[in-house]
Amino acid sequence: MSADRLLLTLSDSSDSSDGHSRIEILNTGGYRSDGRRQYELRTISIDLSPQGSGADGSASLTHGLTQVNVCVFGPREAKMRSQTYHDRANVNIEVAIAAFSASERRKRGRGDKRILELSQTLKSTFEPVIQTSLYPRSQIDIYIQVLQQDGGLLQACVNATTLALANAGIPMYDFVCAVTGGVHSTSALLDLTLLEENDLPNVTVAVMPRSGKITLVSMETRLHVDRFEEIFRLAGEAGTVIHREMRRAVKDRTEQLVASMQSVGRPSTGADVGDNEY
Amino acid sequence: MVEITIRKRPQTEAVITQRKFFKKTARGKVVKVLRERYLRDDVACGIEGCRECSTEISRLLPPSGGLEHQLFPNGHYILPDTNVFLAQMDLIESSLFNPPMILLQTVLEEVRHRSLPLYNRLKALTKSEDKHIWVFYNEYRSETAIVREENETPNDRNDRGIRTAAAWYNTHISLTHTPIRGQKQMPHPTVVLITEDAANRQKAEQSGIVSVSVRRYVEAMKDANVLLDLLSAEGSHNIEPTKAAAGRQALYPDYLPTPTLIAGVKAGELHQGHFNANQYNYLEGSVPVPAFDKPILLVGRENMNRAVQGDIVVIEVFPEKDWKAPADEVVDQEAIQKNDDAEDSGEEGDENDEEVFSKESRVLSGSSNQKPPSERQPTGRIVGIIKRNWRAYVCHIDSTSLTSTLTTSLSTQTVFATPVSRLLPRIRLRTRQAPTLLNQKILVTIDRWDSTSRYPEGHFVRALGQVESKEAEQESLLLEFEVPYRPFGKAILDCLPPEGEQWVVPPKGEFDLQNIWRDREDLRDVIVCSIDPPGCQDIDDALHAKLLPNGNIEAGVHIADVSHFVLPDNPMDSEAAARGTTVYLVDNRIDMLPSLLGTNLCSLRPFVERLAFSSIWELTADAEIVSVRFTKSVIKSKAAFTYEEAQIRKDDPNLHDELTNSIRLLNTLAIKLKAKRMAAGALNLASPEVKIHLDSAESSDPIDVEQKELRETNSLVEEFMLLANISVARKIEESFPQTAVLRRHLPPPKTNFEKLQDILRKTKGFSLDVSSSGALAASLDECVDAREPAFNTLVRIMATRCMLSAEYFSSGSVAKDTFGHYGLASEIYTHFTSPIRRYADVLVHRQLSAAIGSTPLHATLHSKSHVERVLDVVNRRHRMAQMAGRASVEFYVGLALKARGEQARARGEPDVREDAYVIRTFRNGVGVFVSKLGIEGLVTFKRDTQFDAENYTITVPGAKEEVKISVFDKVVVRIEVEKDKNTQRGKVKMTLVEPVDSSAF
């Protein structure tokens, strides 16, 4: 489980908030700036079709206008001895943020502190969830490509990684579903856009819906103690809502694969993803 | 348990629901902005009983609409567009104007964009009970959401959105009002679009929407005659759409380059001086320059050209025909700029600016030139600034300029900070913590003032604390008057004698290792006593007097020998020079010297041996000086009296001890000295001095205010101090003609008195002779009104204000014939008697000590430029300390008034009323002086009165007949302390009670 540190919008918040100060976060009619109400999540779209380059599993996910692509390679033989463990697989996560993804065009190299921090957070989130002990002396590579940012970057990365891992057939104990929650005055808001994220104290929570366990809590702003519990609980619940959506996407994809395999005339080998869990 | 759902946004609708655009920030960066929008079908129409829209909110619009309007007998809802709210807010706010109203989100957001203050007023209206306003979120309803088309301006897009929403409402109403079977078909109410834009109306008619102009709508209303008055004039013509960022126009003329300024000043074409803002009228300022008798008047924002109080500016004077007289109106910055917006003001020439501009120009033209030419002053404009005198200012955040007052908000906001001082303009600043800074006193510095910005821009330095908390108020006061108040540092404390509190005067003889007794007279046996105000800890003077065998009297003034402890050019000396003076506040004292010296080692406490610097005269019984000598000494005071104790002792006929006799002796001499001084033409001036009674030392809650009482003994001490100062001044001037530290009071220019003379002549028929101080003193004595005992004091106070302030100077720096002290009518003067609390006195001590050969003069005191430099600082500190002291008293008077008001209310009495005297008349108010409280106040009237500037009278409508009020009239005012809603700062508000009650107008 990850500690409650960090994570962020990878944009220069001071600048992007400039023009927005005239937009109300939550108006008296109870609508947010994009027409949602307090507890409504943004539209989520999931694409699990393979995305070239021969990845073992991939996923493309959008939360509203935030878009990330994840490719998973492995489990495969570890390339470097130094990162080989005799009893488990090594999980390697690399995040790349496209220069055009944020409001301000900015190239971030691989050594960028924010990016390292983000991949480290993801790594510590997923290591305990993936059944790494099944694959000793091997490594699982996860490449995350951020294409567009409009708030909830960490949440999108977590959800997309879960889907890509599932798609790659890597056994996990459970789904990991993350949602960001914030507080405006005393009202809780879920799934924040960039605009909201810049203005509100917020916390990202990742849950494992089956066990109800929390695998990640990340907070970069200051949130009043009295509000924390409510937001934390709500974000957790929202995670289960997201879970339904993710599970359906995985199921649809599997059905589609099964159907297409049957149409070719070969029986399913049963080695595919969806068997044990859902 | 709340329901969490995922809002689906179909990809097919992406054209309407998502947006991506690039924009350029103020700093020139290009930023990508992503927006999405979730359209819904559950945005309620807000009409009661609507079958399709369900809502749990109870305050809905009536189902049949408003039925009272003549044009729409079938019932109607009005749907005003943005400009209606921008231009006609007064109408909308009227309690008579309450048809059911649909307020579109598009309109609401546009208002918010244009003017936050107006938006806040509108928001308040939507919540008020007596208005029927429904906010319809048309941008989120799938049927009414629109996208801006190509080549469509944002304005046109919004207008189209408003029309679309109006059309939707009409169909919606007709759908949900379908007749229920068996009932008669009822005509349904119409939605009426209200707009001033003729083109918009035309387009609306084409698509079948009923639309009218505001005027036409109001004309057909029930209370049309009342409401039509509220229509603003701007309503009659179209308001230009907001000019885009391209239209950043310069609001102020640019400054001339520095070389041009310097050359111009040298050639005499331009003039240089300190800028003084006018505290009654923020659109006016003045700059005193040597070339003219009267200060140069600057009228209007452009002519003041971004100068801030205290800046050194360069002025171009207009030709004489353009000269103006100062305005006779009170112009409140807050009232006029109430609706100004922190974010765009000055950056875009929007209608807000125009509104402010038109109001300002009205004010300026009001102060026209019907004034007699004698009142005209040289008028000019600022063409450049030599030196900015900006510092950190104590401010409050203006709450209406905030976009979000939620403390959870982390976004940067541009807000206004209103300085506590009325002399300063509002400052615009950007901060992330605006909501938490509300109701606090904060420190703000000005960073720059561009010619394109109406207001200066600054940044937040730190918060001082809650408004009206003693700590914050005290600290803000010290900061405002630039009083250095930090505790003394180690280097400074190291300069104190190592013995600390145990320090004593060593016994005479071989144990005197430091040679303290060298050149020191032993006056320990002389009957010396000190007389000071009650609670005085820093006793710096003591007195004695005794009869000499030859019938003459020996009188001595003994001043604490501070220069023995404060040696030149060490850290303590530099710090004292920088502080210049001790600052006395009501509840605190900011020392110039560490308290070990000030209240202990130097303080001439009774019964202990102390080092002193004595000035001893031999006087004849008629108080003529036979001889004077100065000497360092050791004294042992026999008693420390308060003025009151000394007075009682003197007046007690049973006491005949040596101490009492010496006080009596001193007193008889003092009376003679005073008589002589008065005969020489000294002025007896008055300044309003009050005393604050504090509850107890700890709580320091003021209980009450009373005027300071003056006793005979006050005058006793004063006369001897004057005598000592004058004698010392002569001595040091004689010894050091180039660098002697002296104090002078220049005679005021005759023109300063012109106005007062005129007022006195016209209202009371007195004439004031200002040819010399003696003549002035004599004519002041004659200004007596038998019925008004306070009249004379009032005239004295006003005369004092016409004078210049006294200043320290170095004798070599000015011509010898300007050494004189006008107020004291002495040809030479200095300050010698309070070295514990004034730095000038320390210098004088050093010079006197050198003059009598006791110690050599430190090299720095031989340098004229050094002395000048030090005295410049001391003069400024002295002025600031006086103002800080006054402000502190004012604050406590305010607290006391508040307490008194509360007590009065608790007892069931109405309010605090006091007698006051009119000291100034304005077109729209009077300035009054409440002598009992020592405060000045302003009574303003909302509407203009008949103002007779010639005779300084105004005529106001009274209960039966019109009442004339002129300067010096006694009136009764009601005094309240009210909090400014915006800035939370307490303001003393005065209203006339007698002769007329002004609360009505």
PDB file of all heavy atoms in Angstrom, chain B residues 834-859:
ATOM      1  N   SER B 834      15.015  66.817  26.888  1.00  0.00           N
ATOM      2  CA  SER B 834      14.498  65.443  26.926  1.00  0.00           C
ATOM      3  C   SER B 834      15.381  64.473  26.154  1.00  0.00           C
ATOM      4  O   SER B 834      14.951  63.865  25.187  1.00  0.00           O
ATOM      5  CB  SER B 834      13.074  65.394  26.337  1.00  0.00           C
ATOM      6  OG  SER B 834      12.231  66.171  27.107  1.00  0.00           O
ATOM      7  N   PRO B 835      16.617  64.320  26.580  1.00  0.00           N
ATOM      8  CA  PRO B 835      17.524  63.462  25.796  1.00  0.00           C
ATOM      9  C   PRO B 835      17.132  61.989  25.844  1.00  0.00           C
ATOM     10  O   PRO B 835      17.585  61.226  25.008  1.00  0.00           O
ATOM     11  CB  PRO B 835      18.882  63.693  26.464  1.00  0.00           C
ATOM     12  CG  PRO B 835      18.554  64.117  27.851  1.00  0.00           C
ATOM     13  CD  PRO B 835      17.258  64.853  27.778  1.00  0.00           C
ATOM     14  N   ILE B 836      16.320  61.595  26.808  1.00  0.00           N
ATOM     15  CA  ILE B 836      15.938  60.181  26.852  1.00  0.00           C
ATOM     16  C   ILE B 836      15.023  59.852  25.683  1.00  0.00           C
ATOM     17  O   ILE B 836      15.040  58.747  25.156  1.00  0.00           O
ATOM     18  CB  ILE B 836      15.252  59.846  28.201  1.00  0.00           C
ATOM     19  CG1 ILE B 836      16.235  60.046  29.336  1.00  0.00           C
ATOM     20  CG2 ILE B 836      14.721  58.419  28.198  1.00  0.00           C
ATOM     21  CD1 ILE B 836      15.658  59.766  30.709  1.00  0.00           C
ATOM     22  N   ARG B 837      14.211  60.827  25.291  1.00  0.00           N
ATOM     23  CA  ARG B 837      13.227  60.486  24.263  1.00  0.00           C
ATOM     24  C   ARG B 837      13.416  61.216  22.933  1.00  0.00           C
ATOM     25  O   ARG B 837      12.652  61.012  22.008  1.00  0.00           O
ATOM     26  CB  ARG B 837      11.813  60.711  24.792  1.00  0.00           C
ATOM     27  CG  ARG B 837      11.547  62.103  25.262  1.00  0.00           C
ATOM     28  CD  ARG B 837      10.206  62.184  25.963  1.00  0.00           C
ATOM     29  NE  ARG B 837       9.987  63.491  26.512  1.00  0.00           N
ATOM     30  CZ  ARG B 837       9.424  64.473  25.829  1.00  0.00           C
ATOM     31  NH1 ARG B 837       9.008  64.269  24.608  1.00  0.00           N
ATOM     32  NH2 ARG B 837       9.275  65.647  26.387  1.00  0.00           N
ATOM     33  N   ARG B 838      14.411  62.108  22.854  1.00  0.00           N
ATOM     34  CA  ARG B 838      14.632  62.788  21.568  1.00  0.00           C
ATOM     35  C   ARG B 838      16.109  62.750  21.236  1.00  0.00           C
ATOM     36  O   ARG B 838      16.936  63.092  22.080  1.00  0.00           O
ATOM     37  CB  ARG B 838      14.157  64.244  21.643  1.00  0.00           C
ATOM     38  CG  ARG B 838      12.662  64.405  21.792  1.00  0.00           C
ATOM     39  CD  ARG B 838      12.278  65.858  21.644  1.00  0.00           C
ATOM     40  NE  ARG B 838      12.960  66.715  22.583  1.00  0.00           N
ATOM     41  CZ  ARG B 838      12.343  67.602  23.370  1.00  0.00           C
ATOM     42  NH1 ARG B 838      11.033  67.748  23.306  1.00  0.00           N
ATOM     43  NH2 ARG B 838      13.035  68.345  24.187  1.00  0.00           N
ATOM     44  N   TYR B 839      16.432  62.393  20.022  1.00  0.00           N
ATOM     45  CA  TYR B 839      17.838  62.268  19.678  1.00  0.00           C
ATOM     46  C   TYR B 839      18.510  63.627  19.509  1.00  0.00           C
ATOM     47  O   TYR B 839      19.684  63.788  19.818  1.00  0.00           O
ATOM     48  CB  TYR B 839      18.012  61.421  18.417  1.00  0.00           C
ATOM     49  CG  TYR B 839      19.458  61.103  18.150  1.00  0.00           C
ATOM     50  CD1 TYR B 839      20.134  60.209  18.958  1.00  0.00           C
ATOM     51  CD2 TYR B 839      20.146  61.720  17.115  1.00  0.00           C
ATOM     52  CE1 TYR B 839      21.473  59.928  18.749  1.00  0.00           C
ATOM     53  CE2 TYR B 839      21.481  61.447  16.896  1.00  0.00           C
ATOM     54  CZ  TYR B 839      22.142  60.552  17.717  1.00  0.00           C
ATOM     55  OH  TYR B 839      23.467  60.281  17.504  1.00  0.00           O
ATOM     56  N   ALA B 840      17.756  64.620  19.055  1.00  0.00           N
ATOM     57  CA  ALA B 840      18.343  65.947  18.872  1.00  0.00           C
ATOM     58  C   ALA B 840      18.936  66.435  20.191  1.00  0.00           C
ATOM     59  O   ALA B 840      20.015  67.037  20.214  1.00  0.00           O
ATOM     60  CB  ALA B 840      17.283  66.918  18.369  1.00  0.00           C
ATOM     61  N   ASP B 841      18.255  66.146  21.282  1.00  0.00           N
ATOM     62  CA  ASP B 841      18.734  66.569  22.587  1.00  0.00           C
ATOM     63  C   ASP B 841      20.068  65.920  22.930  1.00  0.00           C
ATOM     64  O   ASP B 841      20.923  66.538  23.577  1.00  0.00           O
ATOM     65  CB  ASP B 841      17.712  66.225  23.670  1.00  0.00           C
ATOM     66  CG  ASP B 841      16.369  66.870  23.392  1.00  0.00           C
ATOM     67  OD1 ASP B 841      15.894  66.733  22.250  1.00  0.00           O
ATOM     68  OD2 ASP B 841      15.805  67.495  24.304  1.00  0.00           O
ATOM     69  N   VAL B 842      20.243  64.680  22.489  1.00  0.00           N
ATOM     70  CA  VAL B 842      21.508  63.994  22.759  1.00  0.00           C
ATOM     71  C   VAL B 842      22.647  64.743  22.061  1.00  0.00           C
ATOM     72  O   VAL B 842      23.707  64.987  22.644  1.00  0.00           O
ATOM     73  CB  VAL B 842      21.435  62.529  22.278  1.00  0.00           C
ATOM     74  CG1 VAL B 842      22.763  61.828  22.515  1.00  0.00           C
ATOM     75  CG2 VAL B 842      20.312  61.784  22.981  1.00  0.00           C
ATOM     76  N   LEU B 843      22.385  65.147  20.817  1.00  0.00           N
ATOM     77  CA  LEU B 843      23.409  65.911  20.085  1.00  0.00           C
ATOM     78  C   LEU B 843      23.690  67.229  20.792  1.00  0.00           C
ATOM     79  O   LEU B 843      24.852  67.637  20.937  1.00  0.00           O
ATOM     80  CB  LEU B 843      22.928  66.184  18.652  1.00  0.00           C
ATOM     81  CG  LEU B 843      22.739  64.975  17.745  1.00  0.00           C
ATOM     82  CD1 LEU B 843      22.265  65.430  16.374  1.00  0.00           C
ATOM     83  CD2 LEU B 843      24.041  64.197  17.612  1.00  0.00           C
ATOM     84  N   VAL B 844      22.625  67.869  21.232  1.00  0.00           N
ATOM     85  CA  VAL B 844      22.797  69.158  21.917  1.00  0.00           C
ATOM     86  C   VAL B 844      23.617  68.962  23.185  1.00  0.00           C
ATOM     87  O   VAL B 844      24.510  69.760  23.492  1.00  0.00           O
ATOM     88  CB  VAL B 844      21.414  69.775  22.212  1.00  0.00           C
ATOM     89  CG1 VAL B 844      21.569  70.983  23.128  1.00  0.00           C
ATOM     90  CG2 VAL B 844      20.717  70.156  20.921  1.00  0.00           C
ATOM     91  N   HIS B 845      23.358  67.887  23.915  1.00  0.00           N
ATOM     92  CA  HIS B 845      24.144  67.604  25.116  1.00  0.00           C
ATOM     93  C   HIS B 845      25.625  67.491  24.787  1.00  0.00           C
ATOM     94  O   HIS B 845      26.473  68.009  25.508  1.00  0.00           O
ATOM     95  CB  HIS B 845      23.656  66.301  25.760  1.00  0.00           C
ATOM     96  CG  HIS B 845      22.523  66.512  26.703  1.00  0.00           C
ATOM     97  ND1 HIS B 845      22.525  66.074  27.993  1.00  0.00           N
ATOM     98  CD2 HIS B 845      21.337  67.142  26.527  1.00  0.00           C
ATOM     99  CE1 HIS B 845      21.384  66.408  28.588  1.00  0.00           C
ATOM    100  NE2 HIS B 845      20.654  67.051  27.701  1.00  0.00           N
ATOM    101  N   ARG B 846      25.909  66.770  23.690  1.00  0.00           N
ATOM    102  CA  ARG B 846      27.317  66.597  23.325  1.00  0.00           C
ATOM    103  C   ARG B 846      27.955  67.940  22.992  1.00  0.00           C
ATOM    104  O   ARG B 846      29.090  68.218  23.367  1.00  0.00           O
ATOM    105  CB  ARG B 846      27.433  65.663  22.129  1.00  0.00           C
ATOM    106  CG  ARG B 846      27.211  64.227  22.525  1.00  0.00           C
ATOM    107  CD  ARG B 846      27.335  63.309  21.345  1.00  0.00           C
ATOM    108  NE  ARG B 846      26.781  62.017  21.723  1.00  0.00           N
ATOM    109  CZ  ARG B 846      26.203  61.183  20.885  1.00  0.00           C
ATOM    110  NH1 ARG B 846      26.101  61.492  19.604  1.00  0.00           N
ATOM    111  NH2 ARG B 846      25.727  60.045  21.326  1.00  0.00           N
ATOM    112  N   GLN B 847      27.182  68.743  22.268  1.00  0.00           N
ATOM    113  CA  GLN B 847      27.745  70.044  21.877  1.00  0.00           C
ATOM    114  C   GLN B 847      27.937  70.937  23.103  1.00  0.00           C
ATOM    115  O   GLN B 847      28.946  71.628  23.232  1.00  0.00           O
ATOM    116  CB  GLN B 847      26.841  70.721  20.844  1.00  0.00           C
ATOM    117  CG  GLN B 847      26.943  70.027  19.488  1.00  0.00           C
ATOM    118  CD  GLN B 847      26.079  70.677  18.441  1.00  0.00           C
ATOM    119  OE1 GLN B 847      25.091  71.331  18.760  1.00  0.00           O
ATOM    120  NE2 GLN B 847      26.434  70.483  17.182  1.00  0.00           N
ATOM    121  N   LEU B 848      26.967  70.891  24.003  1.00  0.00           N
ATOM    122  CA  LEU B 848      27.082  71.741  25.185  1.00  0.00           C
ATOM    123  C   LEU B 848      28.262  71.287  26.047  1.00  0.00           C
ATOM    124  O   LEU B 848      29.017  72.109  26.579  1.00  0.00           O
ATOM    125  CB  LEU B 848      25.778  71.701  25.986  1.00  0.00           C
ATOM    126  CG  LEU B 848      25.740  72.623  27.197  1.00  0.00           C
ATOM    127  CD1 LEU B 848      25.817  74.086  26.744  1.00  0.00           C
ATOM    128  CD2 LEU B 848      24.496  72.410  28.019  1.00  0.00           C
ATOM    129  N   SER B 849      28.392  69.956  26.139  1.00  0.00           N
ATOM    130  CA  SER B 849      29.480  69.410  26.931  1.00  0.00           C
ATOM    131  C   SER B 849      30.830  69.864  26.370  1.00  0.00           C
ATOM    132  O   SER B 849      31.758  70.202  27.117  1.00  0.00           O
ATOM    133  CB  SER B 849      29.365  67.890  26.933  1.00  0.00           C
ATOM    134  OG  SER B 849      30.504  67.307  27.451  1.00  0.00           O
ATOM    135  N   ALA B 850      30.929  69.895  25.057  1.00  0.00           N
ATOM    136  CA  ALA B 850      32.163  70.376  24.429  1.00  0.00           C
ATOM    137  C   ALA B 850      32.313  71.876  24.636  1.00  0.00           C
ATOM    138  O   ALA B 850      33.423  72.383  24.838  1.00  0.00           O
ATOM    139  CB  ALA B 850      32.154  70.034  22.950  1.00  0.00           C
ATOM    140  N   ALA B 851      31.190  72.577  24.601  1.00  0.00           N
ATOM    141  CA  ALA B 851      31.228  74.032  24.730  1.00  0.00           C
ATOM    142  C   ALA B 851      31.754  74.450  26.097  1.00  0.00           C
ATOM    143  O   ALA B 851      32.423  75.468  26.219  1.00  0.00           O
ATOM    144  CB  ALA B 851      29.843  74.611  24.492  1.00  0.00           C
ATOM    145  N   ILE B 852      31.461  73.662  27.131  1.00  0.00           N
ATOM    146  CA  ILE B 852      31.962  74.023  28.457  1.00  0.00           C
ATOM    147  C   ILE B 852      33.291  73.323  28.749  1.00  0.00           C
ATOM    148  O   ILE B 852      33.768  73.328  29.876  1.00  0.00           O
ATOM    149  CB  ILE B 852      30.941  73.701  29.567  1.00  0.00           C
ATOM    150  CG1 ILE B 852      30.613  72.199  29.581  1.00  0.00           C
ATOM    151  CG2 ILE B 852      29.678  74.537  29.392  1.00  0.00           C
ATOM    152  CD1 ILE B 852      29.801  71.775  30.789  1.00  0.00           C
ATOM    153  N   GLY B 853      33.817  72.664  27.727  1.00  0.00           N
ATOM    154  CA  GLY B 853      35.133  72.065  27.889  1.00  0.00           C
ATOM    155  C   GLY B 853      35.149  70.779  28.684  1.00  0.00           C
ATOM    156  O   GLY B 853      36.192  70.344  29.154  1.00  0.00           O
ATOM    157  N   SER B 854      34.017  70.161  28.851  1.00  0.00           N
ATOM    158  CA  SER B 854      33.963  68.940  29.649  1.00  0.00           C
ATOM    159  C   SER B 854      34.457  67.737  28.855  1.00  0.00           C
ATOM    160  O   SER B 854      35.230  66.928  29.338  1.00  0.00           O
ATOM    161  CB  SER B 854      32.535  68.719  30.121  1.00  0.00           C
ATOM    162  OG  SER B 854      32.398  67.463  30.695  1.00  0.00           O
ATOM    163  N   THR B 855      33.987  67.607  27.616  1.00  0.00           N
ATOM    164  CA  THR B 855      34.452  66.520  26.746  1.00  0.00           C
ATOM    165  C   THR B 855      34.747  67.110  25.377  1.00  0.00           C
ATOM    166  O   THR B 855      34.113  68.086  24.981  1.00  0.00           O
ATOM    167  CB  THR B 855      33.367  65.440  26.545  1.00  0.00           C
ATOM    168  OG1 THR B 855      32.144  66.103  26.216  1.00  0.00           O
ATOM    169  CG2 THR B 855      33.184  64.580  27.766  1.00  0.00           C
ATOM    170  N   PRO B 856      35.690  66.528  24.666  1.00  0.00           N
ATOM    171  CA  PRO B 856      35.931  67.036  23.300  1.00  0.00           C
ATOM    172  C   PRO B 856      34.746  66.668  22.399  1.00  0.00           C
ATOM    173  O   PRO B 856      34.070  65.670  22.636  1.00  0.00           O
ATOM    174  CB  PRO B 856      37.202  66.308  22.876  1.00  0.00           C
ATOM    175  CG  PRO B 856      37.273  65.101  23.743  1.00  0.00           C
ATOM    176  CD  PRO B 856      36.584  65.436  25.026  1.00  0.00           C
ATOM    177  N   LEU B 857      34.527  67.478  21.390  1.00  0.00           N
ATOM    178  CA  LEU B 857      33.403  67.223  20.489  1.00  0.00           C
ATOM    179  C   LEU B 857      33.788  66.129  19.502  1.00  0.00           C
ATOM    180  O   LEU B 857      34.858  66.164  18.906  1.00  0.00           O
ATOM    181  CB  LEU B 857      33.040  68.508  19.734  1.00  0.00           C
ATOM    182  CG  LEU B 857      31.735  68.481  18.955  1.00  0.00           C
ATOM    183  CD1 LEU B 857      30.552  68.238  19.885  1.00  0.00           C
ATOM    184  CD2 LEU B 857      31.527  69.779  18.199  1.00  0.00           C
ATOM    185  N   HIS B 858      32.910  65.179  19.344  1.00  0.00           N
ATOM    186  CA  HIS B 858      33.157  64.091  18.411  1.00  0.00           C
ATOM    187  C   HIS B 858      33.245  64.651  16.995  1.00  0.00           C
ATOM    188  O   HIS B 858      32.536  65.600  16.648  1.00  0.00           O
ATOM    189  CB  HIS B 858      32.038  63.061  18.497  1.00  0.00           C
ATOM    190  CG  HIS B 858      32.349  61.794  17.785  1.00  0.00           C
ATOM    191  ND1 HIS B 858      31.849  61.531  16.542  1.00  0.00           N
ATOM    192  CD2 HIS B 858      33.109  60.726  18.124  1.00  0.00           C
ATOM    193  CE1 HIS B 858      32.290  60.346  16.147  1.00  0.00           C
ATOM    194  NE2 HIS B 858      33.047  59.831  17.103  1.00  0.00           N
ATOM    195  N   ALA B 859      34.122  64.033  16.191  1.00  0.00           N
ATOM    196  CA  ALA B 859      34.406  64.583  14.859  1.00  0.00           C
ATOM    197  C   ALA B 859      33.152  64.758  14.015  1.00  0.00           C
ATOM    198  O   ALA B 859      33.018  65.720  13.263  1.00  0.00           O
ATOM    199  CB  ALA B 859      35.391  63.669  14.139  1.00  0.00           C
TER     200      ALA B 859
END
